[in-house]
């Protein structure tokens, strides 16, 4: 029992810590990416509040793509890095 606890503590200090850092880094990267993507339509706004212009539609599409593809890439990289943690 005591030996298992020691092994678990060793794993937490080595691989467990690295996995935790990768997870936190991934969450922060996704939040920053989504924050940047959410600002794109606002930067492309022309001032017309009633009608959504084609420019705003394109900006929303680009923002949505950036959000989706970026989040997917961050999660894939995080999973790959976690799998390589020995």
């Amino acid at each position: 029992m005591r030996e298992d606890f020691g092994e678990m503590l060793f794993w937490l200090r080595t691989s467990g810590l690295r996995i935790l850092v990768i997870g936190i880094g991934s969450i922060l990267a996704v939040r920053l990416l989504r924050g940047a993507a959410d600002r794109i339509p606002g930067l492309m706004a022309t001032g017309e509040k009633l009608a959504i212009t084609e420019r705003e539609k394109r900006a929303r599409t680009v923002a949505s793509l950036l959000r989706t593809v970026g989040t997917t890439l961050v999660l894939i990289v995080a999973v790959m890095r976690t799998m390589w943690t020995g």
Side-chain angles (χ1 to χ4, degrees):
M1 179 76 173
R2 189 172 184 105
E3 184 177 307
D4 292 337
F5 184 70
E7 289 178 16
M8 188 170 65
L9 281 178
F10 177 75
W11 181 84
L12 285 173
R13 284 191 307 243
T14 56
S15 298
L17 181 61
R18 183 173 178 170
I19 291 170
L20 181 66
V21 169
I22 290 170
I24 291 171
S26 299
I27 291 169
L28 291 175
V30 167
R31 286 189 179 239
L32 287 173
L33 185 67
R34 287 184 178 203
D38 289 343
R39 289 186 182 193
I40 291 174
L43 295 173
M44 300 293 285
T46 59
E48 299 172 13
K49 297 293 181 189
L50 297 177
I52 297 175
T53 64
E54 291 299 316
R55 185 176 179 182
E56 287 180 80
K57 287 180 185 178
R58 282 192 291 268
R60 288 182 183 176
T61 301
V62 169
S64 176
L65 277 171
L66 178 65
R67 198 177 305 118
T68 303
V69 172
T71 300
T72 302
L73 286 175
V74 167
L75 292 177
I76 288 172
V77 169
V79 167
M80 298 291 276
R81 296 284 302 179
T82 301
M83 287 173 49
W84 286 326
T85 301

